[in-house]
Amino acid sequence: MILFQGVHKEYPRTGAALTDVTFHLRKGEFTFVTGPSGAGKTTLVKLVTMEERPTSGTVRVSGYASDRIRTRDIPALRRRLGIVFQDFRLLKNRTARENVAFALEVTGASAEQISPKVLRTLAAVGLSDKADHLPSELSGGEQQRVAIARALVNDPFILLADEPTGNLDPKVALDILRVFKDINLRGMAVLLVTHDRTLLGEHPRARIIELDQGRIVRDTANGGGAAG
Amino acid sequence: MAYTSREAFFAFRRSPLLTALSIATIAFALYTLSVFGLVWTNIDRVLEGVEERVEVIAYLVDGTDPTETSALMREVAAYPEVDSIAYLSKEDALERARAELTDYAELYEDLEANPLPASVEIALRDGFRDASDVGDVATRVARFPFVEEIKYGEDWVQKLDFLQDLSLFLGLVMGGVFAAIAFVAIGATINIVLISREDEIAIMKMVGATRAFIARPLVIEGFAKGVIGAVVALVLLTLTYSLLEQRVVSLTFYSPLQVAGGVLLGGALGAVASIVTLRRHLSSW
Ligand SMILES: Nc1ncnc2c1ncn2[C@@H]1O[C@H](COP(=O)(O)OP(=O)(O)O)[C@@H](O)[C@H]1O
Ligand SMILES: [Mg+2]
């Protein structure tokens, strides 16, 4: 699934963002990645999507390895990942339905395939009745649901979410967490990045990987203590 | 497919001025290239008619020994450039002059002595008829001591030759300059499109779009600009041609196949300019 082995990541000007990061995400697992701002959480997500490559060590994602993957393989990898951001990243001039359809269009799917799949996915995040709304006509929580639907529509094996509740008020944040939990119950792995500790309490059975200054300081899959 | 057809021609709306500039420069590139090409073709046609008759004529000193003349003929006939060689005696020369210049026939009546020299006429093979080959043969023939004078490659033939080379040179240089400007303009248009669609392209990359998918509508657009530019050039060229036709006698125009080739060349120019720019900007994923 996803395997980090001795990963170091240094940026040209800011130096080490991740140091000796090793972990293994299994099929269907729900994992929180947490830690203070600047701990390296976003960098970790970018390593999974191969937007960044490790300075040393290896990242393996579903058969692709960071030291061997070619640029032209990356689109195929991305289609196996569902990605959600803090700022939703929806196209402003397109409706909810069109935003979700966009992810399928890009893969070259036909219009006949796209339409029913988009509606099914919007239903799965509870937005059937707002399919024809523009982002500006939706609340923050609803926009994030559209973004989640877009991430799901290509049937990825994992949903990656980088601070998905960061722009939402606490009550809505819990709603969104519930959407991720529902999706996870249907068998899809979730990797949810958050610095919001109250969210962790809402899902006690989830695995927690805690980062601080680029190092894993806790991984509950390894007995809950600090990882070596 | 839906994406490609929806997004192509986005730049036409987004930056009409740069789009117009791209089309205009492609049009000028092809126009200059094709005008000089037309000059080249027409000079070529004239020269072809002349070159078929290109020969070197060696006038012989009066009283040259016939054995020396035939030795010259044998040697010169063996040159690789030479197709055929013929001897024209003083009498033959006079007869020909009388026949060719009937209007001035009285010039050649009542002559006490024949003023025309005997000569050897050397015709050159196809492929050895340009100015330098002809001059070369002439130089070698002139070395025979009893050759009094050599005549070859009329002045105006050499001038046309030069004009032909010049038109090729000017066509390539000016066409090349405009093509380069077209490249830059198309690149700039694509930059604007890429910047104004930064968010969209980032999302496309995130959800697994390939480079080809993102590039396709922009390349199609570049191709379309090139074709439109070529059509504009064709209109200008046709106008220029018909203006010249009214003043100068029969000129040849391009064949339909060449015109189609020119239009495709414009399209290719636009597409290649787009691909080059996109390669630079869509390199990281
Ligand atoms: N593109 C980048 N270039 C240079 N330095 C970066 C870049 N992205 C992140 N960093 C640095 O790496 C460290 C970790 O950043 P990040 O992964 O964004 O942390 P987090 O998401 O936990 O806040 C920070 O010190 C940050 O300044
Ligand atoms: Mg971050």
Side-chain angles (χ1 to χ4, degrees), chain A residues 38 40-43 86 162-163 193:
Chain A
K41 307 182 294 297
T42 296
T43 301
Q86 178 171 353
D162 190 354
E163 306 276 7
V193 171

Short mmCIF file of all heavy atoms in Angstrom, two decimals, chain A residues 38 40-43 86 162-163 193, ligand 2:
data_model
loop_
_atom_site.label_atom_id
_atom_site.label_comp_id
_atom_site.label_asym_id
_atom_site.label_seq_id
_atom_site.Cartn_x
_atom_site.Cartn_y
_atom_site.Cartn_z
N GLY A 38 4.55 23.22 10.63
CA GLY A 38 5.96 23.12 10.24
C GLY A 38 6.59 21.79 10.58
O GLY A 38 7.79 21.59 10.35
N GLY A 40 6.14 18.96 9.14
CA GLY A 40 6.45 18.16 7.94
C GLY A 40 5.27 17.36 7.43
O GLY A 40 5.43 16.49 6.57
N LYS A 41 4.07 17.65 7.90
CA LYS A 41 2.89 16.87 7.52
C LYS A 41 2.57 17.01 6.02
O LYS A 41 2.33 16.01 5.33
CB LYS A 41 1.68 17.31 8.35
CG LYS A 41 1.91 17.30 9.85
CD LYS A 41 0.68 17.69 10.64
CE LYS A 41 0.22 19.13 10.45
NZ LYS A 41 1.21 20.14 10.91
N THR A 42 2.56 18.24 5.55
CA THR A 42 2.25 18.45 4.13
C THR A 42 3.32 17.83 3.24
O THR A 42 3.03 17.23 2.20
CB THR A 42 2.10 19.96 3.84
OG1 THR A 42 0.98 20.45 4.57
CG2 THR A 42 1.91 20.23 2.36
N THR A 43 4.57 17.94 3.70
CA THR A 43 5.65 17.32 2.94
C THR A 43 5.42 15.82 2.82
O THR A 43 5.62 15.23 1.75
CB THR A 43 7.00 17.61 3.64
OG1 THR A 43 7.18 19.02 3.70
CG2 THR A 43 8.15 16.97 2.91
N GLN A 86 -7.15 21.65 2.34
CA GLN A 86 -7.80 22.57 3.27
C GLN A 86 -8.68 23.59 2.52
O GLN A 86 -9.77 23.90 2.94
CB GLN A 86 -6.71 23.31 4.06
CG GLN A 86 -7.23 24.34 5.03
CD GLN A 86 -6.12 24.87 5.92
OE1 GLN A 86 -4.99 24.38 5.91
NE2 GLN A 86 -6.44 25.86 6.74
N ASP A 162 -5.25 16.78 3.48
CA ASP A 162 -4.31 17.64 4.19
C ASP A 162 -5.09 18.78 4.86
O ASP A 162 -5.53 19.70 4.19
CB ASP A 162 -3.28 18.19 3.20
CG ASP A 162 -2.12 18.90 3.90
OD1 ASP A 162 -2.18 19.05 5.15
OD2 ASP A 162 -1.17 19.30 3.22
N GLU A 163 -5.24 18.69 6.17
CA GLU A 163 -6.00 19.67 6.95
C GLU A 163 -7.38 19.93 6.34
O GLU A 163 -7.75 21.10 6.09
CB GLU A 163 -5.24 21.00 7.05
CG GLU A 163 -3.83 20.89 7.59
CD GLU A 163 -3.74 20.87 9.12
OE1 GLU A 163 -4.80 20.81 9.79
OE2 GLU A 163 -2.61 20.88 9.63
N VAL A 193 -4.55 14.35 7.59
CA VAL A 193 -3.57 15.22 8.25
C VAL A 193 -4.31 16.31 9.00
O VAL A 193 -5.18 16.98 8.44
CB VAL A 193 -2.64 15.87 7.20
CG1 VAL A 193 -1.77 16.94 7.84
CG2 VAL A 193 -1.78 14.82 6.53
MG MG C 2 0.70 21.66 6.09
#
